[in-house]
């Protein structure tokens, strides 16, 4: 066959291209090209017949769809509501043709409209939620944590993850003494200028379990936990990260230019000996911050490997950040890592939601929650409301359901309903629930959306009375700036600390629910139904394990910005600048305790505020001897204290449970039918880390039923690093019901530049549960 000339080939391609363009233009002119618009509405003119603005907007769109004539090709309008807004603005966004937009302009209440604009999306989003930005504050002040080394004590690392690439990283600091350890499926070339070290410690596990099969005898992560936490602390920039289309954007760690050193001490299980060995090596290698998203429950300080090893780290100037545990919300005193010389981190929610859109045949659009991991097509299916099926608790019963979308009642057992639906393989389902556990933990492995009970009446009414009711679902949508946020995660463990109740723990709260970060690609991250397992390089996980590395990252940034600060000063700056208010400017609520105002026993001083911690004004400092004085007051033997301090050079010239800590807790014993009045006095010393002279005045919100006295009420500083002392006394009563009350002591600078806030808690003494 003779080949065509080059000119003829080009000519033919031109004809094909021209034909395609003409067909495209014709199709667009026939159907009416559509764009997304932001519509501002005057909410005050909403007719009273509508229960909510959402229903009003849906009705308006439905009306313009009805009024808009079909095209010459007989195509119907596809105007579609995307979001409704009621905080940032009043109005909605919708997909509209130009003709539909002109019809909308004639609607009562219309104010203005403009085309949607492209925006650069970012995730894990938590850095944005914490107000870290490249222009001002802690990121630029610390050079994004450059040359700060974070040692992560965890389950290993997946070195091939894009989060550990070393693009843009400078040379490894000369002070680094660590190494990249060879092992199973892991060689030294897998480390680089981002992941500068990796070691494995499993000898204790092997010794305790002769003949055990170790899944991966190397620093490689076969579990996922360590990869997730280390990338959250200091992962590099990764474009296009997402969880099956949710939270799509650019991932990065809290300290994106910091170095990561992984110390693998556990997989799905780990032992004390290995944990201590890992921390010990991290200190020797020269890390600046240690992040530990694990803990040991109900052990005294002198038997807690993290307490013991972290004391040595503190002496060397290494800040240790630990998770509070996931045993909440009740009982009290379930928190682990209540160690006085570390930073203990609780978990909170994020201002981000993952949604699907439910569009009913009558034009009503309902935005629901979903994390179904696929862009499934659930289009114009019959809507089934059957009281025999609506409990959705029997896969056998549901397997005989008619073809369509099943509506499931709010029974209070949504996880059981999710399982029954997926096992029965019905086409799709609508769940009615406001259970915070679902929205915090995720998990939806079958096409479906979860709608609020307030939206249920309109749905059920349409399903019962509509003519052949039908519905359509779309998935993989992400909404940010949701309100209110943060809230205390229901699962986070609560203080007082069983191991050291005289120190208020946790210290602060950080984002912990559905955090997107790197994962191992050979482990299931999602499932469709009962048979199809899915994997992903990035996944969303919830827990205080996810909150801890956020705080660790902030500590790394502070170490970079203030290398002269002690461990106690960094922790103090984080605590006293934490925010006890959510993004509606109301008190943070507790998802685990019926949305009541959160206690510091759940959230510490509040949500961590990185930029505030950069310039705290005053700090509460402490030396190793101060911690020893506390240990001496705890009735420990000399050997028990020596176990922690490792040195006889420490003595007990002073025994005091009153550590110079940036928070206060007053404890009482519960006596049946008796109320005892107690007075407790606290002595504190603060150091001025602001520039030059400063005057601070004390303001107090006393815990309910208590009287708080501060002396003096004014502190005057003549220079930077000057120290001033004060006392705080609290008179309170014990409560036979074990009630908790709390308040705040705040030092406010004269010019208002600095606000130094400390929580005050009155709590029953919790007995060790062991």
């Amino acid at each position: 066959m003779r080949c065509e000339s080059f000119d003829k080939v080009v000519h033919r391609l031109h004809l094909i291209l021209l034909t395609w363009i003409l067909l495209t233009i014709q199709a667009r002119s026939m159907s009416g090209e559509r764009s997304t618009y932001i519509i501002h509405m005057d909410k005050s003119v909403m007719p009273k017949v509508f229960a909510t603005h959402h229903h009003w907007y849906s009705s308006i769109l439905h009306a313009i769809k009805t009024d808009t004539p079909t095209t010459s090709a007989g195509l119907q309008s596809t105007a579609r509501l995307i979001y409704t807004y009621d905080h940032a603005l009043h109005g909605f966004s919708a997909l509209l043709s130009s003709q539909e937009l002109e019809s909308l302009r004639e609607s009562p209440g219309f104010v203005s409209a403009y085309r949607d604009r492209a925006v650069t999306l970012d995730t894990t989003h938590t850095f944005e939620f914490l107000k870290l930005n490249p222009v001002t504050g802690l990121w630029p002040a610390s050079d994004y944590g450059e040359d700060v080394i974070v040692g992560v004590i965890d389950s290993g690392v997946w070195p091939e993850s894009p989060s550990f690439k070393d693009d843009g990283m400078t040379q490894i600091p000369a002070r680094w003494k660590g190494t990249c350890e060879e092992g199973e499926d892991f060689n030294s070339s897998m480390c680089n200028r981002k992941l500068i070290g990796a070691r494995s410690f499993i000898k204790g596990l092997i010794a305790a379990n002769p003949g055990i099969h170790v899944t991966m005898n190397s620093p490689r992560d076969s579990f996922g936990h360590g990869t997730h936490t280390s990338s959250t602390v200091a992962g590099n920039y990764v474009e296009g990260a997402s969880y099956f289309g949710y939270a799509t954007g650019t991932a990065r760690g809290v300290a994106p230019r910091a170095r990561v050193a992984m110390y693998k001490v556990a997989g799905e299980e780990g032992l004390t000996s290995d944990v201590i060995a890992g921390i010990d090596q991290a200190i020797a290698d020269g890390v600046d911050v240690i992040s530990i998203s694990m803990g040991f429950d109900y052990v005294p300080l002198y038997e807690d490997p993290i307490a013991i090893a972290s004391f040595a780290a503190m002496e060397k100037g290494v800040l240790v950040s630990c998770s509070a545990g996931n045993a909440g919300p009740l009982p009290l005193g379930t928190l682990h890592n209540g160690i006085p010389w570390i930073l203990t981190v609780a978990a909170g929610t994020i201002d981000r939601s993952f949604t699907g859109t439910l569009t009913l045949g009558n034009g009503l659009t309902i935005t629901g929650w979903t994390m179904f991991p696929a862009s499934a097509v659930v289009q114009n299916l019959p809507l089934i409301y059957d009281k025999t099926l609506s409990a959705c608790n029997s896969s056998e019963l549901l397997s005989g359901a008619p073809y369509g979308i099943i509506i499931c009642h709010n029974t209070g057992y949504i996880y059981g309903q999710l399982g029954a639906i997926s096992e029965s393989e019905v086409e799709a389902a609508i769940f009615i629930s406001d259970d915070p556990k679902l929205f915090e933990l995720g998990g939806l492995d079958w096409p479906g959306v979860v709608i609020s009970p307030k939206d249920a009446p309109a749905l059920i009414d349409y399903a019962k009375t509509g003519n052949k009711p039908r519905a359509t679902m779309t998935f993989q949508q992400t909404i940010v700036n949701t309100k209110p946020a943060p809230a205390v995660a229901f699962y986070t463990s609560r203080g007082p600390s069983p191991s050291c109740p005289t120190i208020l723990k946790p210290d602060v709260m950080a984002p912990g629910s559905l955090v997107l970060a790197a994962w191992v690609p050979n482990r299931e991250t999602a499932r469709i139904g009962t048979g199809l397992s899915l994997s992903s390089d990035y996944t969303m996980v919830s827990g205080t394990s996810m909150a801890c590395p956020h705080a660790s990252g902030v500590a790394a940034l502070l170490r970079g910005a203030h290398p002269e600060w002690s461990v106690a000063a960094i922790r103090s700056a984080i605590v006293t600048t934490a925010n006890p208010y959510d993004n509606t400017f109301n008190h943070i609520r507790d998802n685990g305790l019926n949305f009541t105002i959160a206690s510091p026993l759940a959230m510490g001083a509040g949500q961590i505020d990185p930029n505030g911690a950069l310039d705290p004004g005053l700090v509460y400092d402490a030396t190793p001897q101060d911690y020893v004085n506390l240990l001496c007051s705890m009735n420990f033997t000399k050997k028990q204290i020596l176990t922690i301090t490792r040195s006889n050079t420490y003595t007990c010239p002073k025994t005091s449970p009153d550590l110079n800590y940036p928070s206060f807790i007053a404890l009482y014993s519960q006596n049946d039918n008796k109320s005892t009045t107690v007075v407790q006095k606290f002595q504190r010393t603060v150091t001025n880390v602001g520039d030059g002279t400063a005057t601070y005045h004390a303001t107090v919100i006393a815990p309910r039923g208590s009287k708080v006295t501060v002396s003096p009420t004014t502190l005057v500083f003549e220079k930077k690093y000057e120290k001033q002392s004060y006392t705080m006394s609290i008179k309170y009563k014990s409560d036979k019901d074990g009630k908790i009350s709390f308040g705040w002591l705040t030092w406010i600078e004269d010019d208002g530049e600095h606000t130094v806030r400390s929580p005050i808690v009155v709590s029953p003494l919790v007995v060790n549960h062991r």
Side-chain angles (χ1 to χ4, degrees):
M1 180 181 293
R2 186 171 59 86
C3 293
E4 292 182 287
S5 70
F6 178 77
D7 289 342
K8 287 184 178 180
V9 172
V10 171
H11 179 68
R12 179 172 293 183
L13 290 174
H14 282 169
L15 288 175
I16 293 171
L17 179 61
L18 180 61
T19 302
W20 179 82
I21 291 171
L22 291 173
L23 289 172
T24 301
I25 293 172
Q26 181 182 16
R28 288 181 176 177
S29 64
M30 290 168 64
S31 63
E33 185 176 4
R34 286 175 169 77
S35 300
T36 302
Y37 292 88
I38 310 299
I39 315 297
H40 290 253
M41 300 291 289
D42 181 358
K43 190 178 175 183
S44 67
V45 304
M46 181 179 77
K48 293 182 179 179
V49 67
F50 295 104
T52 68
H53 64 286
H54 180 88
H55 294 127
W56 179 37
Y57 302 151
S58 296
S59 175
I60 291 171
L61 270 189
H62 182 64
I64 67 167
K65 287 168 67 175
T66 302
D67 293 343
T68 302
T70 57
T71 66
S72 59
L75 300 174
Q76 295 292 329
S77 167
T78 56
R80 181 164 60 86
L81 184 68
I82 299 174
Y83 298 125
T84 59
Y85 309 107
D86 198 36
H87 297 286
L89 58 90
H90 289 158
F92 58 95
S93 58
L95 186 67
L96 303 169
S97 68
S98 57
Q99 184 179 359
E100 289 161 347
L101 178 62
E102 290 307 311
S103 297
L104 184 62
R105 292 182 190 277
E106 303 302 318
S107 300
F110 177 88
V111 176
S112 65
Y114 48 85
R115 195 186 298 267
D116 205 4
R117 297 176 177 88
V119 62
T120 301
L121 296 179
D122 290 301
T123 190
T124 63
H125 175 65
T126 51
F127 79 90
E128 190 175 51
F129 186 36
L130 296 176
K131 296 183 172 58
L132 285 164
N133 70 85
V135 179
T136 61
L138 189 51
W139 261 358
S142 65
D143 288 331
Y144 300 82
E146 186 169 304
D147 286 348
V148 177
I149 302 169
V150 182
V152 182
I153 312 297
D154 216 300
S155 66
V157 64
W158 193 268
E160 294 88 354
S161 170
S163 288
F164 305 112
K165 66 185 179 181
D166 62 0
D167 297 358
M169 302 295 295
T170 57
Q171 292 300 314
I172 297 171
R175 57 190 169 83
W176 172 241
K177 300 181 180 122
T179 190
C180 197
E181 186 180 278
E182 302 273 349
E184 182 181 353
D185 199 19
F186 202 101
N187 59 63
S188 59
S189 65
M190 291 176 173
C191 292
N192 54 28
R193 290 173 298 179
K194 163 59 75 173
L195 179 63
I196 64 172
R199 296 177 184 261
S200 179
F201 300 88
I202 59 169
K203 292 179 181 178
L205 178 64
I206 293 173
N209 301 275
I212 187 175
H213 172 69
V214 177
T215 305
M216 186 64 65
N217 191 2
S218 75
R220 181 172 292 279
D221 187 7
S222 59
F223 184 42
H225 193 272
T227 300
H228 197 278
T229 57
S230 54
S231 63
T232 301
V233 174
N236 211 331
Y237 298 84
V238 180
E239 295 183 4
S242 78
Y243 173 77
F244 301 104
Y246 297 95
T248 302
T250 301
R252 85 279 313 267
V254 175
R257 286 291 177 254
R259 320 291 175 149
V260 174
M262 172 55 67
Y263 299 85
K264 179 178 177 179
V265 300
E268 296 191 33
E269 57 181 338
L271 291 182
T272 295
S273 55
D274 295 329
V275 173
I276 293 176
I279 301 173
D280 184 73
Q281 188 63 59
I283 297 169
D285 287 346
V287 303
D288 301 299
V289 173
I290 293 176
S291 185
I292 310 178
S293 289
M294 60 181 71
F296 296 84
D297 293 324
Y298 310 126
V299 292
L301 294 176
Y302 53 83
E303 292 181 2
D304 186 338
I306 295 176
I308 294 165
S310 63
F311 189 92
M314 175 269 301
E315 288 180 304
K316 298 281 189 180
V318 178
L319 184 139
V320 179
S321 170
C322 294
S323 52
N326 302 323
L330 293 174
L332 296 178
T334 56
L335 171 144
H336 59 214
N337 292 323
I339 303 162
W341 42 87
I342 71 167
L343 179 69
T344 309
V345 190
T349 63
I350 303 169
D351 66 335
R352 179 176 62 188
S353 181
F354 307 107
T355 64
T357 300
L358 175 66
T359 304
L360 306 183
N362 63 358
L364 177 64
T365 301
I366 299 173
T367 299
W369 181 93
T370 187
M371 285 182 67
F372 179 63
S375 56
V377 176
V378 179
Q379 188 167 0
N380 201 31
L381 296 188
L383 189 61
I384 301 165
Y385 178 69
D386 185 331
K387 290 186 177 179
T388 304
L389 302 173
S390 61
C392 295
N393 58 2
S394 168
S395 58
E396 183 179 355
L397 196 61
L398 287 164
S399 295
Y403 173 79
I405 302 172
I406 304 294
I407 298 175
C408 298
H409 271 165
N410 185 6
T411 64
Y413 299 98
I414 186 155
Y415 278 107
Q417 291 179 322
L418 295 174
I421 286 290
S422 63
E423 288 174 10
S424 67
E425 298 189 2
V426 300
E427 281 65 37
I430 301 166
F431 305 93
I432 302 167
S433 177
D434 55 6
D435 187 346
K437 297 182 182 66
L438 180 65
F439 310 136
E440 290 187 38
L441 300 181
L444 205 159
D445 60 7
W446 201 252
V449 295
V450 183
I451 69 169
S452 169
K454 67 181 177 61
D455 290 322
L459 167 70
I460 294 173
D461 179 67
Y462 169 67
K464 290 168 63 176
T465 65
N467 180 25
K468 296 183 179 180
R470 306 182 80 82
T472 295
M473 290 180 184
T474 58
F475 305 99
Q476 296 178 321
Q477 300 164 14
T478 302
I479 299 175
V480 296
N481 300 320
T482 58
K483 295 179 172 36
V488 172
F490 77 91
Y491 52 79
T492 194
S493 296
R494 316 304 166 103
S497 162
S499 61
C500 189
T502 58
I503 302 300
L504 176 57
K505 293 286 183 171
D507 292 303
V508 290
M509 181 176 79
S513 291
L514 295 178
V515 173
L516 180 71
W519 198 251
V520 295
N522 59 355
R523 190 176 178 92
E524 178 181 292
T525 55
R527 176 179 287 272
I528 295 179
T530 57
L532 182 58
S533 294
L534 305 177
S535 65
S536 175
D537 291 337
Y538 287 80
T539 193
M540 292 191 202
V541 186
S542 298
T544 56
S545 285
M546 286 63 247
C548 169
H550 282 90
S552 305
V554 172
L557 294 172
L558 287 172
R559 173 59 75 212
H562 295 291
E564 75 283 5
W565 281 7
S566 69
V567 168
I570 292 174
R571 181 185 57 225
S572 173
I574 291 172
V575 170
T576 63
T577 58
N579 189 354
Y581 301 101
D582 62 26
N583 57 6
T584 68
F585 305 104
N586 293 306
H587 292 284
I588 290 173
R589 298 282 172 165
D590 192 329
N591 281 355
L593 295 175
N594 298 317
F595 312 106
T596 54
I597 294 175
S599 157
L601 292 178
M603 68 171 186
Q607 170 96 330
I608 195 169
D609 179 358
N611 295 328
L614 174 64
D615 184 19
L618 306 175
V619 296
Y620 295 77
D621 212 343
T623 66
Q625 182 63 55
D626 293 327
Y627 296 113
V628 173
N629 294 342
L630 171 64
L631 295 174
C632 294
S633 73
M634 296 178 69
N635 296 321
F636 291 170
T637 67
K638 288 183 179 180
K639 288 186 177 180
Q640 289 168 342
I641 294 175
L642 182 61
T643 301
I644 299 169
T645 64
R646 313 166 342 281
S647 172
N648 283 313
T649 58
Y650 291 110
T651 60
C652 290
K654 176 184 176 184
T655 61
S656 173
D658 188 21
L659 182 67
N660 193 43
Y661 212 75
S663 57
F664 306 87
I665 184 167
L667 303 167
Y668 64 85
S669 298
Q670 291 178 254
N671 297 311
D672 293 339
N673 300 317
K674 290 183 179 180
S675 179
T676 306
T677 299
V678 182
V679 177
Q680 186 166 341
K681 186 176 182 179
F682 300 87
Q683 176 78 36
R684 294 289 188 268
T685 299
V686 288
T687 304
N688 177 27
V689 293
D691 292 325
T693 62
T695 300
Y696 287 82
H697 301 280
T699 63
V700 174
I701 299 174
R704 183 175 298 177
S706 302
K707 181 179 180 181
V708 175
T709 305
V710 178
S711 180
T713 57
T714 300
L715 300 176
V716 179
F717 299 88
E718 298 296 334
K719 58 185 179 180
K720 190 172 184 177
Y721 300 127
E722 182 180 349
K723 298 179 182 293
Q724 294 288 346
S725 298
Y726 70 90
T727 60
M728 190 196 82
S729 296
I730 179 168
K731 183 178 181 181
Y732 60 100
K733 290 183 178 181
S734 60
D735 183 273
K736 62 182 179 63
D737 296 322
K739 290 181 180 178
I740 299 164
S741 58
F742 56 92
W744 306 89
L745 166 62
T746 307
W747 290 97
I748 302 174
E749 193 175 3
D750 263 355
D751 59 7
E753 184 176 351
H754 296 106
T755 299
V756 186
R757 183 188 296 108
S758 295
I760 308 168
V761 172
V762 174
S763 168
L765 177 63
V766 175
V767 178
N768 193 310
H769 295 280
R770 187 174 61 164

